[in-house]
Amino acid sequence: MSTQWINRIMETAALRGVSGREHRAAEFLCEQLRQFAPDAVCRDGSVIGHIGAGEGKPRLMLCAHLDQVGFFVTDITPEGFLRIGAVGGVDRRLLLGQPVAVMGRKGELFGVISILPPHLTKGDQAVPEMEQLCVDLGFSDADAAKAQVSPGDAVYFAAQPMQLLNGRITAPALDNRCGVAAVMGAAELIAALPEDALPCAVTIVFSAQEERGSRGARLAALEECPDIAIAVDVTFAMSYGEKPYGCMELGKGPAIGISSTLDEALSQALICTAAAVEIPYQKEIMPDGTGTDADWLALAPGGAAAATVSVPLQYMHTPVEVADCGDVEQTAALLAAFAGRCRDL
Amino acid sequence: MNLTELKELCMLPGASGRESAVRNYLLKELEKLPLPDCLVQVDRLGNLIVQKQGRRSDVPRIMVAAHMDEVAMMVTDITADGALRFGAVGGIDPVAMIGRQVRVGADSIPGVIGACPIHRLSAEQRKQPPKTDGLAVDIGAGSREEAEKYVSLGDVITFAPEFHTFGDGKIAAKALDDRYGCSILLSLLREELPCDLTVVFTVQEEVGLRGAAVAANAVKPHIAVVLETTTAADLPDSENPVCRVGGGAVISYMDGRTVYDEDLYRLAVSLCEEQGIPWQTKTKIAGGNDAGAIQNSGARVLAVSAPCRYLHSPLCVMQESDADACNALLHALLKHLADHGAPAL
């Protein structure tokens, strides 16, 4: 597992881009994508670029959402604390006492979500509602806080990306920066193919607002009219306390989705590709829809054959998400291998 | 307050019963000092006891104490999948454990305490506060065999070390309870003192005031001052703030373990009033510290505490000026005791 991949993923995970406020992350990724798709642009928080000429070739879209779950400041209390609201599905069981970063007027501010100590609660704390939380910025009155922070400012988990054993890493926002890193890696591999070795016209999308209803993916599908669309997201990996089934495993490669809302032949084609180029893979069965951008990409004009290829992830939507960098690398390889073989289905 | 030194102390691992890293740091600093008038001892529990001569010896025997240990966790089981189950060392609410980065064992192996993703929990389960039983540390090992190459049963797990200055002169850090006290006493030992003094850096405070009990019986002080952090609940929705961060040194008349010596209490208050040292007292009888054990050796006891939010969580928050106030009060007390002896009973 190369240090380069680990660093790339950690750097991507550190970008700030809560749903609806993706522009910083989008600009950074757009710049990076231009190395492989020179026409890449930012649009409405999404990034879109193209590799390979379009005429007569099937249009393949690789789409990874670049937004992350987080919070917005909703109010400033008279004491100078912040009230916050969640963006996307945040796990309220673990918010108390967490360090956060507030994107204020003059830059990032450090804060802590307040928690009562066991001396006073007698260990009896119920899971708080968002309205019961407050963020301590270390100010003593509202004026000091208002000088730097306003309602509508974005708030992120402040936990720093960190390496664990076995090429695994932990960071907030591995959902979906693992997917983004995989698609960026695939773009690099695809761009390196000679023109005549690429049977399709590839659109790379880093989509906005997946966590809030896939607005970015829906717009990209309308504009780009893909024939084949693969959503590259993260999916649940087995961990301590999980039910012993219905979950992927870290280190066993990308998860290829099979679902009522996905194209059956496309799922099969991805499986065949993985087998042919000896990339380890797992099958992820989602009977009732995928809950990813794929469900919306399939509704492109005229319909699109949609699939999911997902990076297994533990502890999703917490500050301590864990992924295997080898799985990310394998995901990129699978996407590039498929692009190299892609014909009309 | 020497912030550089405070940071170094806070960043060290020092669970109850495993204080050697903190003790060795203090010993190393003490060795640097030209202290021919100092006797440094470590007793069999690990208490670091320093007897230092001052300008006057004809004073009651005075002891000042701060504890070296912090709350932490300990590995109780390694599952077949390489997850580390654990129990708490000292009082930690599982709400403060879930979703955090940690370090395991003497080699500080990085790990996380994860949580099952909310997507895979029922609505009922999402409302359940976490229990220590249901949590485990993930170091990225894939199996028990692999985990055992890096960690063992009985290894200590500490919160990942962090130290931030933020807001209007506040500090957020691991183990401010009670490394701030240790930092103040270390600085004190570098000064010329008005009278003979015994400084004790105690062990195992968090698991029952155990080091203090042994040290006090050995030192047999007439008067003992405990330098601690105490719980501030000065949050927006709080019914009873107990004491306020930024409100000055907390002088206690009573807590859950101790009724403090009335004359020492009044002396401390009057010294603050005379010398303009900001001070406050607690509006709730709660908490406890080493004084609870020291008083049973016969000593008259006083606690001088820095108000601290979020005790027994990965990040405590205090105000630097409160630490300075505690330091000023400590100096004022020593000077007064040197000049006037013990206050009349």
Side-chain angles (χ1 to χ4, degrees):
Chain A
M1 172 71 318
S2 77
T3 321
Q4 198 195 20
W5 260 105
I6 294 176
N7 290 340
R8 183 188 293 184
I9 297 166
M10 287 185 27
E11 179 185 58
T12 312
L15 298 171
R16 302 288 196 208
V18 81
S19 309
R21 296 287 183 271
E22 298 94 344
H23 45 271
R24 264 191 209 87
E27 277 159 24
F28 183 94
L29 293 169
C30 190
E31 186 67 34
Q32 238 180 35
L33 183 59
R34 285 204 183 113
Q35 297 168 80
F36 320 119
D39 71 346
V41 292
C42 294
R43 204 180 298 149
D44 274 329
S46 298
V47 179
I48 304 187
H50 302 88
I51 306 175
E55 292 308 316
K57 291 184 183 175
R59 283 187 297 280
L60 167 66
M61 176 183 286
L62 302 179
C63 179
H65 76 86
L66 59 69
D67 60 315
Q68 68 197 95
V69 299
F71 314 90
F72 280 123
V73 176
T74 55
D75 199 4
I76 299 171
T77 74
E79 302 87 351
F81 288 68
L82 307 180
R83 298 287 185 195
I84 53 176
V87 182
V90 168
D91 190 338
R92 285 180 285 115
R93 296 172 301 159
L94 47 71
L95 293 182
L96 295 173
Q98 287 283 359
V100 294
V102 178
M103 306 304 286
R105 213 166 294 138
K106 304 173 194 170
E108 265 189 36
L109 290 163
F110 174 81
V112 181
I113 298 179
S114 300
I115 179 174
L116 286 178
H119 317 62
L120 299 181
T121 62
K122 314 263 184 282
D124 220 354
Q125 301 210 65
V127 175
E129 301 296 327
M130 288 304 302
E131 293 74 28
Q132 293 172 294
L133 299 176
C134 55
V135 175
D136 185 348
L137 289 179
F139 294 127
S140 304
D141 61 68
D143 287 337
K146 284 175 182 170
Q148 300 203 47
V149 179
S150 312
D153 287 348
V155 180
Y156 297 89
F157 288 126
Q160 294 295 306
M162 186 173 75
Q163 286 186 52
L164 302 175
L165 299 175
N166 284 322
R168 296 183 187 183
I169 56 170
T170 180
L174 288 180
D175 176 6
N176 181 37
R177 303 295 161 68
C178 284
V180 169
V183 170
M184 191 72 82
E188 181 173 9
L189 292 168
I190 293 167
L193 290 174
E195 185 79 35
D196 52 6
L198 189 58
C200 55
V202 178
T203 306
I204 305 288
V205 178
F206 299 126
S207 56
Q209 295 199 43
E210 184 275 342
E211 301 285 1
R212 294 278 309 154
S214 291
R215 181 171 186 262
R218 295 183 209 221
L219 293 179
L222 282 178
E223 283 161 11
E224 300 291 322
C225 304
D227 299 307
I228 301 165
I230 304 178
V232 184
D233 206 323
V234 292
T235 190
F236 308 104
M238 196 65 68
S239 64
Y240 179 78
E242 277 273 16
K243 295 197 290 268
Y245 56 86
C247 238
M248 303 298 104
E249 287 185 63
L250 284 191
K252 295 270 171 76
I256 299 170
I258 296 171
S259 175
S260 54
T261 58
L262 299 180
D263 187 279
E264 196 176 2
L266 177 55
S267 300
Q268 203 47 51
L270 282 160
I271 290 167
C272 288
T273 304
V277 298
E278 292 179 359
I279 291 171
Y281 68 94
Q282 311 176 60
K283 289 185 194 174
E284 184 183 3
I285 317 303
M286 297 167 283
D288 198 20
T290 70
T292 68
D293 280 342
D295 294 345
W296 304 104
L297 298 172
L299 306 186
T308 61
V309 175
S310 303
V311 179
L313 183 76
Q314 291 171 322
Y315 323 124
M316 199 182 290
H317 287 197
T318 74
V320 291
E321 294 179 337
V322 172
D324 183 320
C325 294
D327 288 340
V328 182
E329 191 178 17
Q330 302 280 34
T331 302
L334 175 55
L335 295 169
F338 180 76
R341 287 164 164 67
C342 181
R343 304 266 182 279
D344 254 323
L345 290 169
Chain B
M1 189 86 251
N2 183 337
L3 285 185
T4 313
E5 196 160 75
L6 176 61
K7 177 174 178 175
E8 284 171 1
L9 280 164
C10 286
M11 300 292 272
L12 293 170
S16 309
R18 304 288 185 273
E19 299 91 348
S20 54
V22 181
R23 183 173 45 248
N24 289 340
Y25 178 96
L26 294 166
L27 281 167
K28 214 166 93 181
E29 287 302 312
L30 290 172
E31 264 169 44
K32 290 181 192 167
L33 304 181
L35 296 169
D37 50 348
C38 232
L39 178 62
V40 178
Q41 293 170 295
V42 176
D43 72 16
R44 213 173 310 147
L45 273 196
N47 291 312
L48 172 51
I49 302 172
V50 186
Q51 287 165 10
K52 183 170 157 93
Q53 287 171 23
R55 283 192 295 277
R56 298 184 67 151
S57 298
D58 56 336
V59 292
R61 204 156 37 246
I62 305 170
M63 170 174 153
V64 291
H67 66 90
M68 294 185 285
D69 59 314
E70 65 192 270
V71 293
M73 294 147 282
M74 189 176 272
V75 178
T76 55
D77 180 42
I78 304 175
T79 71
D81 296 318
L84 315 179
R85 281 195 266 243
F86 58 86
V89 174
I92 312 180
D93 195 322
V95 141
M97 298 168 176
I98 185 175
R100 320 287 149 155
Q101 292 183 356
V102 296
R103 298 280 187 275
V104 186
D107 295 331
S108 290
I109 305 290
V112 297
I113 300 175
C116 287
I118 44 169
H119 321 59
R120 285 173 58 81
L121 298 177
S122 67
E124 266 316 298
Q125 285 173 313
R126 290 180 204 188
K127 291 192 214 147
Q128 291 303 314
K131 301 217 177 326
T132 312
D133 258 354
L135 303 176
V137 172
D138 183 350
I139 57 173
S143 66
R144 177 183 290 127
E145 198 179 51
E146 188 179 6
E148 283 173 344
K149 292 183 197 155
Y150 298 91
V151 300
S152 309
L153 296 180
D155 275 356
V156 161
I157 305 160
T158 49
F159 293 125
E162 278 192 65
F163 187 96
H164 307 263
T165 52
F166 73 128
D168 55 5
K170 292 197 173 64
I171 303 162
K174 173 187 83 72
L176 282 175
D177 172 16
D178 184 24
R179 303 292 159 72
Y180 119 89
C182 294
S183 178
I184 289 197
L185 294 187
L186 181 58
S187 294
L188 186 70
L189 284 167
R190 294 186 176 115
E191 298 169 25
E192 196 194 325
L193 298 177
C195 57
D196 291 356
L197 183 65
T198 305
V199 173
V200 185
F201 300 95
T202 63
V203 295
Q204 298 184 35
E205 188 273 346
E206 299 288 4
V207 291
L209 319 180
R210 301 167 54 79
V214 169
N217 284 332
V219 172
K220 295 198 185 5
H222 299 122
I223 290 175
V225 180
V226 169
L227 216 56
E228 251 287 20
T229 52
T230 195
T231 190
D234 54 335
L235 306 175
D237 302 314
S238 198
E239 285 166 4
N240 184 347
V242 184
C243 59
R244 294 189 181 280
V245 170
V250 176
I251 312 169
S252 297
Y253 51 85
M254 179 178 174
D255 61 34
R257 292 277 201 159
T258 312
V259 180
Y260 293 94
D261 183 278
E262 186 174 5
D263 293 302
L264 286 174
Y265 173 76
R266 295 201 190 289
L267 172 62
V269 171
S270 67
L271 287 171
C272 284
E273 294 288 319
E274 281 163 30
Q275 300 183 29
I277 301 170
W279 72 278
Q280 58 183 316
T281 195
K282 282 160 69 169
T283 56
K284 186 178 169 117
I285 296 168
N289 56 52
D290 277 340
I294 297 169
Q295 66 178 337
N296 293 330
S297 72
R300 298 165 67 185
V301 291
L302 180 70
V304 171
S305 306
C308 199
R309 295 174 186 154
Y310 325 134
L311 286 181
H312 293 200
S313 84
L315 285 169
C316 311
V317 168
M318 65 183 291
Q319 186 94 35
E320 196 183 343
S321 60
D322 290 338
D324 294 335
C326 291
N327 195 25
L329 174 54
L330 182 61
H331 280 77
L333 277 165
L334 292 176
K335 178 113 192 2
H336 183 96
L337 292 169
D339 293 344
H340 305 284
L345 282 164

